[in-house]
Amino acid sequence: MIPDTIENSIFIIEMVRKVKSQMRELFDEYSTYGVGMIEKIMFGNAYHGIKSIIAEQEVDMVVMGTSGSSGLKEILIGSTTEKVVRHAKCPVLSIHKKHTDFEYKDIVLATSMGDDEMKIIDTVKMIQQWYGAKIHLLRVNTPNNFERDIKAIGNMEAFAQKNGLSDYTINVFNDVSDEEGIVYFSESIKADMIMLATHGRTGFAHLLTGSIAEDVVNHASRPVLTLVTKNH
């Protein structure tokens, strides 16, 4: 009988070999895009590994895939992407399925038009310029946070003008929750990306209130870019 330690060593060696092979395939596939890539393999908890890389490399953006989570699993542990979105101090782009292109021409910007969200506008305009995109400003009306269309539209127009936005539309969408409104509106216009702010609530406050950003990341089928409004 082979000792467990030897079996474990053989398993780890084979796993590393397989991962390196997959990494090489990715390098070969995307080398023509002119993007520099560095290979790094880490063992252990996925979230903590990503967190340490963010801190060590002082990364400007995290891009990661997510299959989402729902039901009891989501309540108990959440997804790795959800945890990164909650804690990262940089933008996080979560992608739910393989994309054949990254032509983000229609981008939904879900906003409460708060003063803290003005901190993300420069990033929004930069991304809009990169892709030549149209920004669809969105305010979701819910039963617990309702505002007449005429007032909401006026406030959104003032927000857009104050922040120097161009090539945008104003949209008010009614739904039972912010998360569902953002997801369903984005589906209705076939948006290429959803952008929204995250305030990084953690601990007991997060358990009580949850996070719209994390909920959207878990349930949207479109790429979601979360932008941090403050250091946390």
Side-chain angles (χ1 to χ4, degrees):
M1 183 175 179
I2 301 175
D4 286 344
T5 53
I6 297 178
E7 288 184 343
N8 289 340
S9 297
I10 293 172
F11 172 76
I12 291 172
I13 291 170
E14 179 59 25
M15 183 172 63
V16 170
R17 186 200 64 78
K18 183 177 181 180
V19 170
K20 284 188 174 182
S21 175
Q22 292 171 333
M23 287 275 198
R24 180 49 51 193
E25 290 178 6
L26 288 174
F27 273 47
D28 293 340
E29 182 177 356
Y30 295 106
S31 60
T32 58
Y33 286 79
V35 178
M37 293 180 284
I38 299 174
E39 174 185 324
K40 190 172 182 67
I41 299 173
M42 302 180 70
F43 294 92
N45 180 275
Y47 164 68
H48 290 294
I50 295 168
K51 182 180 178 182
S52 66
I53 289 292
I54 293 173
E56 290 171 11
Q57 302 296 325
E58 297 181 349
V59 302
D60 298 311
M61 178 183 288
V62 177
V63 181
M64 58 191 303
T66 177
S67 58
S69 58
S70 59
L72 184 60
K73 179 182 177 182
E74 179 182 348
I75 294 171
L76 291 177
I77 60 173
S79 68
T80 300
T81 309
E82 178 184 350
K83 293 176 183 177
V84 174
V85 167
R86 188 187 313 164
H87 295 284
K89 296 180 181 180
C90 62
V92 179
L93 175 61
S94 58
I95 301 176
H96 294 254
K97 59 183 179 181
K98 185 173 182 178
H99 283 243
T100 56
D101 61 63
F102 289 88
E103 293 295 318
Y104 297 138
K105 296 300 183 183
D106 289 283
I107 299 176
V108 172
L109 175 59
T111 176
S112 64
M113 296 168 289
D115 290 342
D116 57 346
E117 293 192 12
M118 293 180 185
K119 299 173 184 177
I120 69 172
I121 292 299
D122 286 343
T123 303
V124 170
K125 290 193 287 188
M126 179 176 63
I127 292 171
Q128 179 185 25
Q129 185 177 13
W130 282 350
Y131 294 105
K134 182 182 289 293
I135 298 294
H136 301 276
L137 284 172
L138 173 64
R139 186 246 184 336
V140 178
N141 262 337
T142 65
N144 294 327
N145 186 22
F146 184 83
E147 190 173 62
R148 287 187 174 90
D149 284 5
I150 189 169
K151 183 177 180 181
I153 291 171
N155 288 340
M156 294 175 77
E157 187 64 49
F159 177 82
Q161 293 296 320
K162 182 176 182 179
N163 289 283
L165 292 179
S166 60
D167 196 13
Y168 62 88
T169 67
I170 300 290
N171 305 273
V172 179
F173 194 80
N174 300 320
D175 215 314
V176 296
S177 70
D178 291 296
E179 167 227 314
E180 290 176 289
I182 294 168
V183 170
Y184 290 139
F185 173 78
S186 301
E187 290 177 356
S188 74
I189 68 165
K190 295 181 172 59
D192 299 307
M193 180 196 288
I194 299 169
M195 290 196 296
L196 68 167
T198 176
H199 305 279
R201 286 189 297 263
T202 58
F204 189 60
H206 176 267
L207 293 176
L208 288 177
T209 64
S211 166
I212 295 171
E214 293 160 31
D215 289 340
V216 172
V217 164
N218 267 329
H219 298 111
S221 61
R222 286 164 167 75
V224 179
L225 178 63
T226 56
L227 302 169
V228 184
T229 60
K230 64 178 181 179
N231 293 327
H232 55 276

